[in-house]
Structures are given as C-alpha cells and as structure tokens.
Amino acid sequence: MRILKIDHIGIAVKNLAESAKLYEMLGIQSTGSEVVAEQQVKVSFFPVGDSEIELLESTSPDGPIARYIEKNGEGIQHLALRVDDIEAALEELKANGIRLIDEKPRYGAGGAKIAFVHPKSTGGILLELSQR
Ligand code: ZN
C-alpha cells in the first residue's frame, strides 16, 4: 500500500449552498455537486492545491451526515487519504488488526473507490481511503 496524498477533508454541513459561500468568497471554485444516493448525501468538492475540501449535506433526516451533525454539530467529519491500491490497503490494515467499517471498497463521489476505517482504530478520526 502506498499513501499518495491527502485526497480531501470532509466537512459535514446543514446547508451546502450556504456553506459553499465561504469557500467561494475565498476564491475557491466548486467543481460541481453530486448526490451519492447510497450514502444519503449531496457533496460538493472545492479543489485547494493538490487536495480538496468536500462539503457534505444529508439528503435524509436519518442519513449518516444528519446523525453526525445531530451528535457533533457541523464540522470536519472525515479525512481522506488517496492510496494506489485500495484492496491491498484494506488487506494490510486488516492484517494489522485495524478495525474497518468497509471490508470491501464501494463507490463514492466522482466514481472513486472508497472505504472507511473505524475511528476506534485511528485515535478518533474517521479515515477514508480513496482510489481514483
Ligand atoms: Zn470523503
């Protein structure tokens, strides 16, 4: 497994259009928004250098992002690392006793293969692995 870079930082927001204004004011143009039905979420990506900021708004009152905001309020929800081979990365983490939320990759925004690692194994950080 090779970690290539910080792919993006995921921020849970109540209202994507409202929250986008800050980044637009900072001169960061969104690459558009997309609904990821499986995760009950609408996302927008704001590229910053070689990484991106991902804003996530729940599309359902009981989706994972809605539940996150209910518990923690709006804010940074996950950190995503880009890997060269996500299947190999998951195997390696599992072999090292790291608790995975997704044992197999699924498809996230932009057609990326993604998988989440449990915060219990990462010092409280919801870690996303992403391969594009
Ligand atoms: Zn993400």
Side-chain angles (χ1 to χ4, degrees):
M1 153 177 68
R2 267 187 69 222
I3 306 292
L4 303 175
K5 64 173 188 170
I6 292 177
D7 191 80
H8 62 270
I9 294 167
I11 301 176
V13 301
K14 288 180 184 164
N15 183 316
L16 217 162
E18 269 306 307
S19 297
K21 286 178 187 167
L22 169 71
Y23 301 96
E24 286 158 2
M25 187 262 286
L26 294 171
I28 310 169
Q29 294 299 321
S30 164
T31 52
S33 58
E34 179 184 346
V35 171
V36 183
E38 192 197 66
Q39 290 173 62
Q40 302 174 304
V41 79
K42 185 177 167 191
V43 304
S44 266
F45 282 94
F46 293 82
V48 181
D50 203 27
S51 298
E52 293 181 296
I53 292 166
E54 176 186 34
L55 299 185
L56 305 109
E57 177 192 311
S58 190
T59 55
S60 138
D62 60 352
I65 291 300
R67 280 186 276 120
Y68 178 88
I69 290 175
E70 210 170 283
K71 204 171 150 197
N72 308 289
E74 294 179 293
I76 293 179
Q77 195 254 350
H78 67 271
L79 170 66
L81 298 177
R82 179 154 330 168
V83 296
D84 60 344
D85 181 341
I86 195 165
E87 279 90 359
L90 291 172
E91 283 299 315
E92 198 174 325
L93 290 171
K94 207 173 158 188
N96 281 292
I98 302 291
R99 194 166 147 194
L100 303 174
I101 293 173
D102 302 305
E103 303 247 325
K104 292 206 160 30
R106 48 195 164 106
Y107 284 95
K113 278 197 216 174
I114 64 164
F116 285 96
V117 181
H118 202 285
K120 285 242 155 67
S121 284
T122 58
I125 296 161
L126 178 60
L127 195 63
E128 175 185 337
L129 302 178
S130 166
Q131 181 188 350
R132 284 172 203 260

